[in-house]
Amino acid sequence: MDRPMGLIDINLCSGRRFSHFSTMDTWIRSKRREIGKPSFCIAMLFATAAGSFAEEAPADPPPAKDATTFADPVSTYRAYIDAVRKTDSAAAKSCFIIRDEHDARALDIMIGLWISTRRLNQIAVKKFGAEAARANLEDYGLNREDLTDAALDLTEARLTGAVVRFPDNDTAQLVIKWQEDDDNAAFEYRGDEPIAFRKKAGAWKMDGKGDEDHSGAEFPEEGTWAAAFRDHVIIANEAAERLTTNTLNSPQALKGFLDQKISASKTRYEEAVIKRHRKGGTGEK
């Protein structure tokens, strides 16, 4: 579907209709029932990044302070949930295999989506109250029930009873046994999709990509979903910073800021899509 985001609407489970672009992150959640993969952006980012970079030296995170943190896939995923809960990007990234710069940038965007959105919500709620924060963030995909404390608690609880499969000594698949109605209430609900792990230097880390080669254009390329998600992270982080420094001191000021930033980002995206088509490229779905 090679059309600019601003021209597409998505029917969300709530029955409301939103601009495809202005709810970049909410779009992921809307796809849950359609494709059964709420972690779609994870696969999308790694798949988009694959073939995007010349091969570079791996950039591994520092070793864990606690040797038991990555002792097995369940422990690693629990550490990941804790890092998102604490909005600790470095700790969240340390739960993944990072082979090269393409992996690092893809993770910056994926983890940035979760953490920037969660942090912005926390700051807005503290400053304006829950109702005002929700009213001024949800239409932009910046108010997500699957990033609340309750959502993180639910996913962590579901780790009890999760199944770990070991195809060989160095790879594993974590399958969480979700329950009915978990899809809209849990962090990173994946349905029946397993979470891939790989053991490296004795530590079990999530493996977002596999063994693809990387070559070609810079990532993220403008006019792709990865670039749109990157903009989402930048906007959410800037809004959070402005709320913290009181540059945005009212719900109305926050809404005006988001309107302006998202409109500009939408325009950049649509112009980039047109350029990609003229060059013979394809737009993102």
Side-chain angles (χ1 to χ4, degrees), residues 226-280:
F229 292 146
R230 174 208 60 201
D231 286 355
H232 173 115
V233 175
I234 292 171
I235 292 168
N237 282 334
E238 185 175 351
E241 177 65 21
R242 287 173 176 258
L243 288 174
T244 301
T245 59
N246 212 35
T247 306
L248 298 174
N249 55 15
S250 71
Q252 295 75 22
L254 174 60
K255 187 177 187 305
F257 171 82
L258 293 174
D259 279 341
Q260 187 269 323
K261 289 292 184 178
I262 288 174
S263 176
S265 186
K266 172 185 172 181
T267 298
R268 287 195 302 273
Y269 173 86
E270 292 178 340
E271 290 175 348
V273 167
I274 292 171
K275 289 180 180 179
R276 281 166 58 81
H277 277 279
R278 287 174 176 170
K279 292 180 180 179

Side-chain angles (χ1 to χ4, degrees), residues 120-173:
L120 175 58
N121 273 266
Q122 290 175 330
I123 294 171
V125 167
K126 184 176 181 179
K127 194 174 186 68
F128 304 131
E131 183 57 31
R134 181 197 60 76
N136 286 278
L137 294 175
E138 68 176 354
D139 284 353
Y140 306 102
L142 291 167
N143 179 269
R144 294 176 52 132
E145 63 181 299
D146 61 340
L147 290 172
T148 62
D149 286 345
L152 293 164
D153 290 343
L154 177 57
T155 297
E156 186 166 15
R158 294 290 182 261
L159 289 177
T160 300
V163 174
V164 181
R165 303 167 182 158
F166 295 92
D168 55 51
N169 291 333
D170 295 319
T171 63
Q173 296 177 337

